[in-house]
Amino acid sequence: MRLTRCQAALAAAITLNLLVLFYVSWLQHQPRNSRARGPRHGAAAGPRVTVLVREFEAFDNAVPELVDSFLQQDAAQPVVVAADTLPYPPLALPRLPNVRLALLQPALDRPAAASRPETYVATEFVALVPDGARAEAPGQLERMVEVLRAGGARLVAAPVASANPARCLALNVSLREWTARYGPAPSAPRCDALDGDAVVLLRARDLFNLSAPLARPVGTGLFLQTALRGWAVQLLEQPFGAARQPPLATAHARWKAEREGRARRAALLRSLGIRLVSGEGGRLEWFGCSKETPRCFGTVVGDTPAYLYEERWTPPCCLRALRETARYVVGVLEAAGVRYWLEGGSLLGAARHGDIIPWDYDVDLGIYLEDVGNCEQLRGAEAGSVVDERGFVWEKAVEGDFFRVQYSESNHLHVDLWPFYPRNGVMTKDTWLDHRQDVEFPEHFLQPLVPLSFAGFVAQAPNNYRRFLELKFGPGVIENPEYPNPSLLSLAGSG
């Protein structure tokens, strides 16, 4: 059977269509990352870096200029602009398949993957670019990639030629102490963190393995997480340009951005478990509890506060409140002529390092029962709760026949006052709790009392306090620290 010319043309067209369909189907079944990245070395490759814009204010920004500047360097440059919700006023972004807007806040009508930033990144590297930056030098992102590939640092950064260009800082993050400490970088241009405007490049897998990869402020959150992991950042010299029409050009816009930025930073630090930030010059910023707020932890069960199970010690804001309360209570007792002494774990902390034990949650003082009447606040507490002129709350404890002084009506960090009285040369009391150190002791330990540094002031303590402590806790207690209830959680068994 011979084919006509028309039949042959039709057969060829069908065959060609089948080949095209087969090829398209094959492409669709390839892993997305392998399609987007293309060849790595030697052969001509597509972009290896996604520009990710996260740090900007919706009400006043230069994001369209930023995006356009990168597209002018490479029209195929992948760009992702990430925001919690749809920016308003709307961003004038180019309608291109390689420019995408990622909304990170979950919504009822969108799949879960739409709220995950890694969904939008198919390249090996990500460049976090702040608002106000501009790409002006060709190949700058690729040069940053080569520096990163050379090793030595997990992040590479380039300053932005703005009014606040990036500089290197040292950063030590202690989760156990709830603290971040900043200082001068000893080995710049390689350091732990940056302060100021910079484009930061790192591997996408590193960024998205962080617990809060795009939390704002981006620089604060990113470097807290990377410094904790020991990742260094290398700061290059060649800067990115600054926007020709910089954002936040008016005083009102700057005021609004600074106000919202402070609130954002405070919320981020609290969410990451940072309660104290120590700056370069020693300036302290507190992000925990205060006299107007509840303390950072709830009711303590089994003498083991919740933070110990999280492998953390007492939050520094709580320690500060305990020190303030202890100093104040001691001042009131001394002025009233009430004999007192450091008791229990508080005496142990004073003997060990002159302060509250780092994981303790209250302060204990012993007092002579016969002196209670000398103190107006204690007399008032016999009848009910008393709030004094400094906002401290004096009351009888509900757990037994002893007194408690709380930091405030809102914040229940406290000092416990245990009334003892002598009987046949032995100090005893009427309320005993199930604590191993809660025992009677000879009165001669209190005759005389001796001064001992504690929590930033000098308090009274039993004489021969080492023997006093070993009577209560056992031999070697000063040299061998332990959590208050090792049957539940021991210091040696914690992280």
Side-chain angles (χ1 to χ4, degrees):
M1 176 180 172
R2 299 183 62 183
L3 294 177
T4 67
R5 186 173 299 175
C6 290
Q7 289 173 327
L10 179 62
I14 292 172
T15 303
L16 180 60
N17 282 333
L18 288 173
L19 289 172
V20 169
L21 287 172
F22 174 79
Y23 180 69
V24 169
S25 175
W26 177 82
L27 278 180
Q28 289 175 341
H29 286 82
Q30 299 310 298
R32 180 183 177 189
N33 287 357
S34 67
R35 299 202 311 270
R37 291 176 189 164
R40 294 276 179 91
H41 299 288
R48 293 184 288 172
V49 182
T50 296
V51 168
L52 203 161
V53 185
R54 171 62 167 148
E55 196 62 68
F56 66 95
E57 301 295 344
F59 60 84
D60 189 340
N61 62 76
V63 171
E65 181 187 341
L66 182 161
V67 173
D68 183 64
S69 73
F70 280 92
L71 294 177
Q72 286 181 18
Q73 302 298 326
D74 182 353
Q77 173 65 60
V79 177
V80 175
V81 179
D84 294 322
T85 57
L86 189 66
Y88 183 83
L91 294 173
L93 299 177
R95 295 180 179 275
L96 297 172
N98 52 308
V99 178
R100 307 182 72 184
L101 178 63
L103 303 182
L104 305 182
Q105 183 170 297
L108 291 173
D109 59 345
R110 292 189 290 124
S115 302
R116 293 195 290 265
E118 58 268 33
T119 301
Y120 303 87
V121 175
T123 55
E124 183 180 359
F125 301 95
V126 174
L128 298 169
V129 182
D131 189 20
R134 178 181 176 83
E136 293 180 339
Q140 193 163 5
L141 291 178
E142 287 301 313
R143 285 191 291 274
M144 294 175 73
V145 167
E146 296 312 313
V147 173
L148 188 64
R149 283 194 182 281
R154 294 286 283 269
L155 303 92
V156 172
V160 176
S162 65
N164 185 31
R167 59 192 182 89
C168 267
L169 292 176
L171 172 57
N172 175 266
V173 181
S174 173
L175 290 183
R176 175 167 274 181
E177 297 175 348
W178 309 72
T179 299
R181 298 179 179 89
Y182 292 88
S187 56
R190 186 165 295 173
C191 49
D192 304 312
L194 300 176
D195 177 42
D197 299 328
V199 174
V200 180
L201 183 134
L202 69 166
R203 286 180 170 83
R205 68 168 182 266
D206 284 346
L207 175 65
F208 296 123
N209 275 330
L210 300 177
S211 60
L214 296 184
R216 295 181 66 193
V218 171
T220 300
L222 176 69
F223 294 121
L224 283 172
Q225 296 173 86
T226 58
L228 181 67
R229 290 161 174 77
W231 298 358
V233 54
Q234 183 169 342
L235 182 61
L236 306 181
E237 292 184 1
Q238 184 181 8
F240 280 80
R244 293 169 183 168
Q245 294 184 334
L248 310 176
T250 68
H252 176 75
R254 288 191 295 273
W255 168 81
K256 185 176 180 180
E258 289 169 4
R259 182 192 63 180
E260 295 186 4
R262 285 193 298 269
R264 216 176 275 131
R265 179 170 175 262
L268 172 65
L269 291 169
R270 292 188 183 104
S271 71
L272 295 180
I274 299 296
R275 297 291 182 267
L276 175 60
V277 173
S278 175
E280 277 186 277
R283 184 172 69 97
L284 301 181
E285 295 179 273
W286 298 88
F287 298 94
C289 64
S290 68
K291 220 168 173 66
E292 291 74 37
T293 67
R295 67 186 184 183
C296 296
F297 56 95
T299 302
V300 176
V301 178
D303 297 325
T304 306
Y307 51 78
L308 289 184
Y309 290 103
E310 299 172 3
E311 299 184 359
R312 294 186 170 209
W313 289 347
T314 311
C317 47
C318 297
L319 289 174
R320 180 178 66 160
L322 285 173
R323 293 184 187 109
E324 182 182 339
T325 307
R327 179 193 288 269
Y328 177 73
V329 170
V330 162
V332 170
L333 297 180
E334 289 180 345
V338 176
R339 290 167 290 175
Y340 75 92
W341 60 93
L342 293 169
E343 258 290 350
S346 299
L347 177 61
L348 183 56
R352 191 176 287 154
H353 49 250
D355 202 351
I356 298 169
I357 293 174
W359 50 81
D360 211 349
Y361 53 89
D362 64 4
V363 170
D364 292 307
L365 300 176
I367 60 174
Y368 270 87
L369 177 62
E370 62 189 273
D371 293 347
V372 167
N374 298 343
C375 178
E376 177 186 352
Q377 289 88 337
L378 291 178
R379 291 197 307 270
E382 293 271 19
S385 181
V386 175
V387 181
D388 67 18
E389 67 279 2
R390 293 276 300 277
F392 293 91
V393 182
W394 300 69
E395 60 187 9
K396 257 310 192 44
V398 297
E399 298 94 330
D401 193 19
F402 63 97
F403 297 93
R404 176 164 289 163
V405 185
Q406 294 182 163
Y407 187 43
S408 71
E409 291 182 278
S410 300
N411 192 321
H412 295 173
L413 290 161
H414 58 265
V415 173
D416 285 335
L417 304 174
W418 301 92
F420 283 82
Y421 56 90
R423 184 171 62 194
N424 300 323
V426 174
M427 297 300 291
T428 188
K429 57 188 176 77
D430 293 331
T431 293
W432 301 95
L433 301 181
D434 189 21
H435 298 157
R436 60 174 178 165
Q437 72 269 25
D438 203 17
V439 296
E440 297 177 330
F441 59 90
E443 188 179 13
H444 67 72
F445 282 110
L446 308 180
Q447 298 173 340
L449 294 166
V450 298
L452 189 62
S453 294
F454 175 70
F457 63 97
V458 176
Q460 296 297 305
N463 64 74
N464 201 347
Y465 53 78
R466 174 179 288 274
R467 284 188 58 195
F468 183 87
L469 287 168
E470 292 188 343
L471 170 68
K472 294 205 164 201
F473 291 96
V477 65
I478 296 177
E479 293 78 17
N480 297 283
E482 181 53 278
Y483 285 162
N485 190 347
S487 64
L488 289 178
L489 187 67
S490 69
L491 179 60
S494 70

